[in-house]
């Protein structure tokens, strides 16, 4: 955030760039060589959004299914997603992940067990309410749960919670960063063979209650 402010106190010009669209020329290259389409933090009027860091955490919750491992997914704002949320002050990444997963799928935290650290994903988006371009780093953890029934957190816009076969989960996900996350994981190594404390429920459709 300090880097976004020039020495005279005015808003600086910090560019958030898309590496796939970035072609630099010159020795050394300068911002004059950056194509407009490669700059992500630009609003519709051509002004730059100030970059602002956001820290979040979430879980890849797995279980064994009849046809192989399944992953717990949520449906929010027209897209399938994995449960996650922003970190509260003073929280560790692990505590944030357990709290957010439990809240978003409507279960108690004690029903969630972390089995592995899966690293991070990074993505950006315009945060119009704060007039910034948020750069969110999400810390991911492999998890299992003993819960068999779920209640979507409707206050957060979550409409459904579902167990989805691992082979279908990637295609359902509405975000490239999460597709890439699943691509690098082996579900059999995430604790998918852990047994639940009750019979499996759900068939890839919404579960509530």
């Amino acid at each position: 955030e300090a880097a976004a402010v020039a020495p005279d106190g005015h808003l600086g010009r910090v560019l958030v760039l898309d590496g796939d669209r970035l072609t630099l020329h010159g020795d050394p290259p300068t911002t004059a060589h950056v194509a407009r389409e490669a700059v992500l933090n630009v609003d519709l009027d051509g002004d730059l959004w100030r970059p602002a860091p956001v820290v979040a955490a979430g879980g890849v919750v797995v279980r064994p299914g009849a046809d192989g491992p399944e992953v717990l997914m949520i449906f929010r704002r027209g897209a399938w997603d994995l449960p996650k949320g922003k970190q509260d002050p003073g929280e560790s990444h692990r505590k944030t992940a357990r709290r957010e997963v439990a809240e978003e799928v409507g279960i108690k935290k004690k029903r969630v067990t972390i089995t592995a650290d899966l690293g991070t994903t990074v993505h950006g988006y315009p945060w119009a309410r704060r007039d910034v371009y948020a750069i969110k780093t999400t810390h991911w953890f492999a998890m299992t749960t003993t819960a068999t029934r779920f209640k979507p957190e409707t206050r957060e816009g979550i409409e459904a919670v579902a167990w989805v076969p691992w082979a279908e989960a990637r295609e359902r996900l509405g975000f490239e960063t999460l597709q890439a996350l699943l691509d690098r994981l082996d579900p059999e190594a995430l604790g998918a063979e852990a047994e639940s404390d009750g019979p499996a429920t759900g068939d890839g459709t919404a579960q509530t209650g």
Side-chain angles (χ1 to χ4, degrees), residues 11 19 38 86 88 90 98 105 113 121 125 153 167 193 199:
L11 182 67
K86 296 182 182 66
D88 284 343
R98 288 186 73 231
V105 303
T113 299
T121 59
Y125 57 93
E153 189 180 22
E193 297 180 357

Side-chain angles (χ1 to χ4, degrees), residues 53-60 76 81-87 93-94 96-97 100-101 104 117-125 134-141 143 175 177-178 181 184:
V54 175
V55 179
V60 180
R76 170 168 46 196
D81 199 352
L82 298 176
K84 63 184 183 302
K86 296 182 182 66
Q87 186 177 40
H93 299 148
R94 293 173 70 91
T96 299
E100 284 290 342
V101 168
E104 293 202 338
D117 184 334
L118 302 178
T120 62
T121 59
V122 179
H123 76 282
Y125 57 93
I135 302 175
K136 179 186 284 188
T137 301
T138 303
H139 298 259
W140 292 99
F141 296 88
M143 298 179 176
F175 307 96
T177 52
L178 298 187
L181 173 66
R184 71 175 191 244

Side-chain angles (χ1 to χ4, degrees), residues 10 15 34 46 50 63 73 98 102 113 122 139 151 153 191 200:
H10 289 83
L15 308 183
V34 177
R50 178 174 62 86
R63 75 169 186 181
M73 300 179 70
R98 288 186 73 231
T113 299
V122 179
H139 298 259
K151 184 176 181 180
E153 189 180 22

